[in-house]
Amino acid sequence: GENVEQHPSTLSVQEGDSAVIKCTYSDSASNYFPWYKQELGKRPQLIIDIRSNVGEKKDQRIAVTLNKTAKHFSLHITETQPEDSAVYFCAASYSSASKIIFGSGTRLSIRP
Amino acid sequence: GAGVSQSPSNKVTEKGKDVELRCDPISGHTALYWYRQRLGQGLEFLIYFQGNSAPDKSGLPSDRFSAERTGESVSTLTIQRTQQEDSAVYLCASSLDRSRETQYFGPGTRLLVL
């Protein structure tokens, strides 16, 4: 079945630096890859997603890249700020009838 | 409009009791998910409803767990004979249709089994 691996599990970066979180997926038919951010004590919220017909998508300081050949996708956060501190989850889905599979999460801490 | 709502927000119960958790998805959303999130852990998939299709129950951890959904409306997650390891936040999410759309999460129900 579909499996999504995410790393690192924890990441600490200096404010202003960039952060990169990577995920790999097992099913080559996967074609939808969302990223969710969960702040402490709050619900997960979608921050960006990418579909398999594009290789990169950007939204201000956040970008996601997709390498279908290697079956991995990454989240890039530039110019990190304290409010970026949260747990980030990647996910993958391969068909309209299948469930979304989440990675195990990355706890990102931004050092002042 | 209104987002996904869940009730109760907190539930404390004694070991061995049954509990019922409720999720009200966004109106018109055909897909509905239940997840379990233990403290400091990731999202553990429990069950997925998609329209009138048979639900995907592959994530339910034991036969003490069950869920129902009537049409495209409210869903209830029932845990029978609760155990201490069932203590967690139970999150519900809905999406417009299909699993390839944005999931909107509810605030969760924090369950504590004493």
Side-chain angles (χ1 to χ4, degrees):
Chain A
E2 176 68 80
N3 184 46
V4 177
E5 294 189 357
Q6 181 172 351
H7 57 93
S9 57
T10 60
L11 178 62
S12 178
V13 301
Q14 193 76 34
E15 181 178 351
D17 288 351
S18 296
V20 180
I21 302 170
K22 298 181 179 181
C23 289
T24 59
Y25 57 97
S26 58
D27 193 323
S28 58
S30 295
N31 55 16
Y32 174 59
F33 309 91
W35 286 87
Y36 286 80
K37 175 184 180 182
Q38 186 177 30
E39 297 178 11
L40 188 62
K42 297 189 177 180
R43 72 192 79 181
Q45 290 191 303
L46 181 78
I47 54 171
I48 195 168
D49 59 9
I50 191 169
R51 298 180 190 272
S52 60
N53 56 343
V54 297
E56 182 175 1
K57 184 176 179 180
K58 289 188 69 174
D59 183 2
Q60 299 181 356
R61 296 186 297 107
I62 294 173
V64 58
T65 59
L66 171 65
N67 183 328
K68 290 215 71 180
T69 302
K71 293 191 286 187
H72 67 69
F73 56 113
S74 301
L75 178 71
H76 304 252
I77 306 175
T78 59
E79 301 172 20
T80 52
Q81 300 170 5
E83 55 264 36
D84 295 330
S85 293
V87 178
Y88 291 81
F89 294 97
C90 65
S93 171
Y94 69 93
S95 82
S96 62
S98 77
K99 60 183 178 284
I100 284 183
I101 305 295
F102 280 88
S104 54
T106 296
R107 185 174 302 277
L108 175 63
S109 300
I110 307 301
R111 302 191 304 273
Chain B
V4 178
S5 60
Q6 292 185 244
S7 61
S9 53
N10 291 280
K11 177 70 177 178
V12 181
T13 190
E14 294 180 348
K15 178 181 173 181
K17 300 282 189 181
D18 297 352
V19 296
E20 190 172 280
L21 313 180
R22 176 187 170 107
C23 172
D24 284 86
I26 294 173
S27 178
H29 280 197
T30 62
L32 186 148
Y33 294 78
W34 282 98
Y35 297 94
R36 179 170 68 181
Q37 188 173 36
R38 294 194 167 104
L39 187 63
Q41 302 298 309
L43 299 168
E44 180 184 358
F45 166 78
L46 297 177
I47 189 168
Y48 165 49
F49 296 91
Q50 173 58 62
N52 295 319
S53 301
D56 180 343
K57 304 180 181 180
S58 60
L60 295 178
S62 77
D63 59 7
R64 296 187 296 106
F65 288 73
S66 63
E68 293 184 350
R69 187 184 188 195
T70 304
E72 298 180 356
S73 60
V74 171
S75 176
T76 56
L77 176 69
T78 302
I79 309 173
Q80 296 177 309
R81 305 181 301 282
T82 52
Q83 304 294 313
Q84 289 182 332
E85 62 263 28
D86 298 335
S87 297
V89 175
Y90 289 82
L91 289 162
C92 172
S94 71
S95 65
L96 185 59
D97 69 2
R98 312 188 183 98
S99 58
R100 292 175 295 171
E101 301 295 337
T102 302
Q103 288 193 34
Y104 295 88
F105 283 82
T109 292
R110 189 174 302 275
L111 175 66
L112 178 61
V113 182
L114 301 176

